[in-house]
Amino acid sequence: MVDWDIRPASVGDVESVAELRAVVLRDDLVRLGRYDEQRVRQRLREGFEPAHTWVIEVGGAFAGCVALRRAEDAHWLEHFYVAPHLQGRGIGSGVLRGLLGRCDRNGALVRLNVLQGSPARQLYERHGFTVETEDPVDVFMVREPAVTRPVQSSGGRHSCAVITSCSSSESTNSPSTGGPQRQDRG
């Protein structure tokens, strides 16, 4: 288990997040015949909303990110990327556990989409997501709130600021008031 921290994203993080997205999604997008070196980064840049995004750090260095934005009937988990050399060390599970714990306490439904054949699907299934629908490229998953499910320790040095983001009435990225508003799959 690796110690990690999380902080609100800033506009200055967009290029690091765009580059990580390109690295993490490359193999799956190539397999699906959808990889375009420029477009994979540009889509992130066009949809990047720091107010709904958090940066994961290990040893003070950029290690990943996650976004959560509120939609009409649910929260959308998006842009959840961990640097390949840090995958499998409990960081993604820790971040997801903390985030979903807060969403559970607030009764928030969480949705996401993952590329067909992506190993990330197994992570989401372990955390209670089920397939809602799919197409040739994406698998759309949903997770009902599980208020009786115990929230385990995140494995990091603290429980992480992102876990406060599932409020049904808040609208900023601040650790005490965070919560996405706009739906944009970017």
Side-chain angles (χ1 to χ4, degrees):
M1 186 91 31
V2 173
D3 284 339
W4 51 270
D5 287 309
I6 197 158
R7 65 168 173 80
S10 70
V11 173
D13 292 312
V14 69
E15 290 306 316
S16 296
V17 173
E19 187 58 33
L20 180 59
R21 179 179 197 261
V23 170
V24 170
L25 295 183
R26 187 179 198 289
D27 289 347
D28 287 327
L29 289 172
V30 166
R31 179 179 41 75
L32 294 168
R34 312 247 327 167
Y35 185 75
D36 178 307
E37 188 171 328
Q38 306 306 319
R39 186 168 188 263
V40 69
R41 291 169 178 85
Q42 193 58 37
R43 283 192 69 195
L44 184 285
R45 290 180 191 115
E46 291 169 358
F48 186 70
E49 293 188 43
H52 305 150
T53 306
W54 293 268
V55 169
I56 303 163
E57 295 181 333
V58 171
F62 179 82
C65 62
V66 63
L68 186 77
R69 70 177 166 73
R70 193 173 340 186
E72 197 170 301
D73 68 334
H75 286 73
W76 278 86
L77 180 69
E78 301 174 316
H79 306 302
F80 191 12
Y81 312 121
V82 175
H85 71 281
L86 294 170
Q87 291 177 7
R89 296 184 180 191
I91 297 168
S93 286
V95 170
L96 192 55
R97 222 179 354 261
L99 176 72
L100 294 174
R102 175 59 68 168
C103 291
D104 287 347
R105 286 188 291 280
N106 288 302
L109 184 76
V110 181
R111 296 181 188 281
L112 62 82
N113 68 291
V114 63
L115 291 171
Q116 285 283 3
S118 171
R121 178 175 171 174
Q122 294 171 339
L123 170 70
Y124 300 132
E125 287 173 339
R126 282 194 310 269
H127 287 271
F129 284 88
T130 58
V131 173
E132 189 169 37
T133 186
E134 52 189 297
D135 63 32
V137 176
D138 291 305
V139 178
F140 295 88
M141 303 182 82
V142 64
R143 184 180 178 278
E144 298 283 338
V147 290
T148 59
R149 183 185 329 231
V151 177
Q152 301 173 356
S153 168
S154 66
R157 291 192 297 221
H158 54 77
S159 60
C160 84
V162 75
I163 66 168
T164 65
S165 66
C166 273
S167 169
S168 60
S169 63
E170 305 296 342
S171 64
T172 69
N173 191 13
S174 129
S176 62
T177 63
Q181 296 276 336
R182 188 176 74 73
Q183 182 169 350
D184 177 11
R185 285 192 43 203

mmCIF file of all heavy atoms in Angstrom, residues 21-22 29 34-46 186:
data_model
loop_
_atom_site.group_PDB
_atom_site.id
_atom_site.type_symbol
_atom_site.label_atom_id
_atom_site.label_comp_id
_atom_site.label_asym_id
_atom_site.label_seq_id
_atom_site.Cartn_x
_atom_site.Cartn_y
_atom_site.Cartn_z
ATOM 1 N N ARG A 21 -3.996 10.894 -19.157
ATOM 2 C CA ARG A 21 -5.140 10.287 -19.861
ATOM 3 C C ARG A 21 -4.665 9.562 -21.124
ATOM 4 O O ARG A 21 -5.066 8.430 -21.392
ATOM 5 C CB ARG A 21 -6.163 11.356 -20.231
ATOM 6 C CG ARG A 21 -7.370 10.810 -20.976
ATOM 7 C CD ARG A 21 -8.361 11.936 -21.298
ATOM 8 N NE ARG A 21 -9.666 11.427 -21.637
ATOM 9 C CZ ARG A 21 -10.113 11.268 -22.874
ATOM 10 N NH1 ARG A 21 -9.357 11.578 -23.911
ATOM 11 N NH2 ARG A 21 -11.320 10.789 -23.093
ATOM 12 N N ALA A 22 -3.801 10.217 -21.891
ATOM 13 C CA ALA A 22 -3.297 9.617 -23.132
ATOM 14 C C ALA A 22 -2.523 8.334 -22.849
ATOM 15 O O ALA A 22 -2.667 7.338 -23.571
ATOM 16 C CB ALA A 22 -2.432 10.620 -23.887
ATOM 17 N N LEU A 29 -7.718 2.231 -26.273
ATOM 18 C CA LEU A 29 -8.179 2.945 -27.469
ATOM 19 C C LEU A 29 -7.573 2.356 -28.745
ATOM 20 O O LEU A 29 -8.260 2.260 -29.766
ATOM 21 C CB LEU A 29 -7.859 4.436 -27.353
ATOM 22 C CG LEU A 29 -8.692 5.201 -26.323
ATOM 23 C CD1 LEU A 29 -8.159 6.613 -26.154
ATOM 24 C CD2 LEU A 29 -10.163 5.218 -26.703
ATOM 25 N N ARG A 34 -9.653 3.362 -31.866
ATOM 26 C CA ARG A 34 -10.107 4.730 -31.627
ATOM 27 C C ARG A 34 -9.004 5.670 -31.156
ATOM 28 O O ARG A 34 -9.288 6.806 -30.786
ATOM 29 C CB ARG A 34 -11.221 4.734 -30.572
ATOM 30 C CG ARG A 34 -12.281 3.721 -30.829
ATOM 31 C CD ARG A 34 -13.607 4.149 -31.165
ATOM 32 N NE ARG A 34 -14.072 5.374 -30.586
ATOM 33 C CZ ARG A 34 -15.146 5.980 -31.014
ATOM 34 N NH1 ARG A 34 -15.824 5.468 -32.015
ATOM 35 N NH2 ARG A 34 -15.559 7.075 -30.455
ATOM 36 N N TYR A 35 -7.753 5.214 -31.165
ATOM 37 C CA TYR A 35 -6.687 6.070 -30.643
ATOM 38 C C TYR A 35 -6.268 7.128 -31.654
ATOM 39 O O TYR A 35 -5.971 6.824 -32.796
ATOM 40 C CB TYR A 35 -5.457 5.246 -30.241
ATOM 41 C CG TYR A 35 -4.387 6.087 -29.590
ATOM 42 C CD1 TYR A 35 -4.539 6.526 -28.283
ATOM 43 C CD2 TYR A 35 -3.243 6.447 -30.286
ATOM 44 C CE1 TYR A 35 -3.572 7.304 -27.679
ATOM 45 C CE2 TYR A 35 -2.273 7.232 -29.684
ATOM 46 C CZ TYR A 35 -2.439 7.662 -28.384
ATOM 47 O OH TYR A 35 -1.482 8.434 -27.793
ATOM 48 N N ASP A 36 -6.274 8.363 -31.207
ATOM 49 C CA ASP A 36 -5.753 9.494 -31.962
ATOM 50 C C ASP A 36 -4.937 10.309 -30.969
ATOM 51 O O ASP A 36 -5.484 10.850 -29.998
ATOM 52 C CB ASP A 36 -6.902 10.329 -32.533
ATOM 53 C CG ASP A 36 -6.417 11.561 -33.284
ATOM 54 O OD1 ASP A 36 -5.625 12.347 -32.719
ATOM 55 O OD2 ASP A 36 -6.858 11.748 -34.430
ATOM 56 N N GLU A 37 -3.649 10.368 -31.201
ATOM 57 C CA GLU A 37 -2.715 10.985 -30.262
ATOM 58 C C GLU A 37 -3.099 12.414 -29.873
ATOM 59 O O GLU A 37 -2.912 12.813 -28.728
ATOM 60 C CB GLU A 37 -1.308 10.967 -30.871
ATOM 61 C CG GLU A 37 -0.247 11.398 -29.923
ATOM 62 C CD GLU A 37 1.140 11.171 -30.482
ATOM 63 O OE1 GLU A 37 1.334 10.203 -31.250
ATOM 64 O OE2 GLU A 37 2.019 11.970 -30.143
ATOM 65 N N GLN A 38 -3.614 13.179 -30.789
ATOM 66 C CA GLN A 38 -4.010 14.559 -30.493
ATOM 67 C C GLN A 38 -5.384 14.613 -29.823
ATOM 68 O O GLN A 38 -5.586 15.323 -28.840
ATOM 69 C CB GLN A 38 -4.034 15.412 -31.773
ATOM 70 C CG GLN A 38 -2.744 15.394 -32.574
ATOM 71 C CD GLN A 38 -1.523 15.763 -31.747
ATOM 72 O OE1 GLN A 38 -1.576 16.674 -30.933
ATOM 73 N NE2 GLN A 38 -0.435 15.046 -31.952
ATOM 74 N N ARG A 39 -6.325 13.874 -30.376
ATOM 75 C CA ARG A 39 -7.711 13.939 -29.893
ATOM 76 C C ARG A 39 -7.843 13.467 -28.454
ATOM 77 O O ARG A 39 -8.632 14.034 -27.679
ATOM 78 C CB ARG A 39 -8.607 13.105 -30.800
ATOM 79 C CG ARG A 39 -10.072 13.251 -30.457
ATOM 80 C CD ARG A 39 -10.951 12.645 -31.571
ATOM 81 N NE ARG A 39 -12.335 12.951 -31.332
ATOM 82 C CZ ARG A 39 -13.188 12.129 -30.740
ATOM 83 N NH1 ARG A 39 -12.788 10.938 -30.341
ATOM 84 N NH2 ARG A 39 -14.440 12.492 -30.560
ATOM 85 N N VAL A 40 -7.101 12.441 -28.042
ATOM 86 C CA VAL A 40 -7.211 11.923 -26.682
ATOM 87 C C VAL A 40 -6.858 13.000 -25.662
ATOM 88 O O VAL A 40 -7.474 13.097 -24.602
ATOM 89 C CB VAL A 40 -6.358 10.643 -26.490
ATOM 90 C CG1 VAL A 40 -4.865 10.935 -26.527
ATOM 91 C CG2 VAL A 40 -6.750 9.918 -25.205
ATOM 92 N N ARG A 41 -5.913 13.853 -26.002
ATOM 93 C CA ARG A 41 -5.530 14.953 -25.111
ATOM 94 C C ARG A 41 -6.497 16.128 -25.232
ATOM 95 O O ARG A 41 -6.875 16.744 -24.243
ATOM 96 C CB ARG A 41 -4.112 15.402 -25.423
ATOM 97 C CG ARG A 41 -3.060 14.361 -25.046
ATOM 98 C CD ARG A 41 -1.689 14.726 -25.603
ATOM 99 N NE ARG A 41 -0.683 13.770 -25.216
ATOM 100 C CZ ARG A 41 -0.426 12.640 -25.856
ATOM 101 N NH1 ARG A 41 -1.113 12.315 -26.952
ATOM 102 N NH2 ARG A 41 0.517 11.827 -25.435
ATOM 103 N N GLN A 42 -6.904 16.438 -26.460
ATOM 104 C CA GLN A 42 -7.772 17.589 -26.691
ATOM 105 C C GLN A 42 -9.142 17.413 -26.046
ATOM 106 O O GLN A 42 -9.695 18.366 -25.499
ATOM 107 C CB GLN A 42 -7.909 17.869 -28.195
ATOM 108 C CG GLN A 42 -8.535 19.207 -28.505
ATOM 109 C CD GLN A 42 -7.749 20.368 -27.899
ATOM 110 O OE1 GLN A 42 -6.518 20.374 -27.843
ATOM 111 N NE2 GLN A 42 -8.470 21.371 -27.428
ATOM 112 N N ARG A 43 -9.675 16.224 -26.097
ATOM 113 C CA ARG A 43 -10.980 15.986 -25.448
ATOM 114 C C ARG A 43 -10.911 16.283 -23.963
ATOM 115 O O ARG A 43 -11.845 16.828 -23.386
ATOM 116 C CB ARG A 43 -11.438 14.545 -25.670
ATOM 117 C CG ARG A 43 -11.979 14.329 -27.065
ATOM 118 C CD ARG A 43 -12.692 13.014 -27.203
ATOM 119 N NE ARG A 43 -13.927 13.052 -26.431
ATOM 120 C CZ ARG A 43 -14.631 11.978 -26.117
ATOM 121 N NH1 ARG A 43 -14.227 10.787 -26.504
ATOM 122 N NH2 ARG A 43 -15.744 12.071 -25.427
ATOM 123 N N LEU A 44 -9.803 15.913 -23.328
ATOM 124 C CA LEU A 44 -9.647 16.215 -21.910
ATOM 125 C C LEU A 44 -9.550 17.729 -21.704
ATOM 126 O O LEU A 44 -10.234 18.294 -20.851
ATOM 127 C CB LEU A 44 -8.402 15.506 -21.340
ATOM 128 C CG LEU A 44 -8.137 15.647 -19.854
ATOM 129 C CD1 LEU A 44 -7.600 16.914 -19.355
ATOM 130 C CD2 LEU A 44 -9.237 15.064 -19.021
ATOM 131 N N ARG A 45 -8.718 18.379 -22.498
ATOM 132 C CA ARG A 45 -8.555 19.839 -22.357
ATOM 133 C C ARG A 45 -9.887 20.562 -22.503
ATOM 134 O O ARG A 45 -10.178 21.489 -21.752
ATOM 135 C CB ARG A 45 -7.573 20.360 -23.394
ATOM 136 C CG ARG A 45 -6.141 19.949 -23.172
ATOM 137 C CD ARG A 45 -5.237 20.525 -24.264
ATOM 138 N NE ARG A 45 -3.926 19.924 -24.202
ATOM 139 C CZ ARG A 45 -3.400 19.149 -25.159
ATOM 140 N NH1 ARG A 45 -4.078 18.924 -26.287
ATOM 141 N NH2 ARG A 45 -2.202 18.633 -25.007
ATOM 142 N N GLU A 46 -10.683 20.150 -23.461
ATOM 143 C CA GLU A 46 -11.965 20.819 -23.717
ATOM 144 C C GLU A 46 -12.973 20.597 -22.597
ATOM 145 O O GLU A 46 -13.818 21.449 -22.350
ATOM 146 C CB GLU A 46 -12.542 20.350 -25.053
ATOM 147 C CG GLU A 46 -11.753 20.840 -26.235
ATOM 148 C CD GLU A 46 -12.141 20.182 -27.550
ATOM 149 O OE1 GLU A 46 -13.026 19.283 -27.568
ATOM 150 O OE2 GLU A 46 -11.536 20.548 -28.579
ATOM 151 N N GLY A 186 -16.697 14.615 -21.782
ATOM 152 C CA GLY A 186 -15.379 15.030 -22.247
ATOM 153 C C GLY A 186 -14.503 13.925 -22.526
ATOM 154 O O GLY A 186 -13.437 13.718 -22.684
#
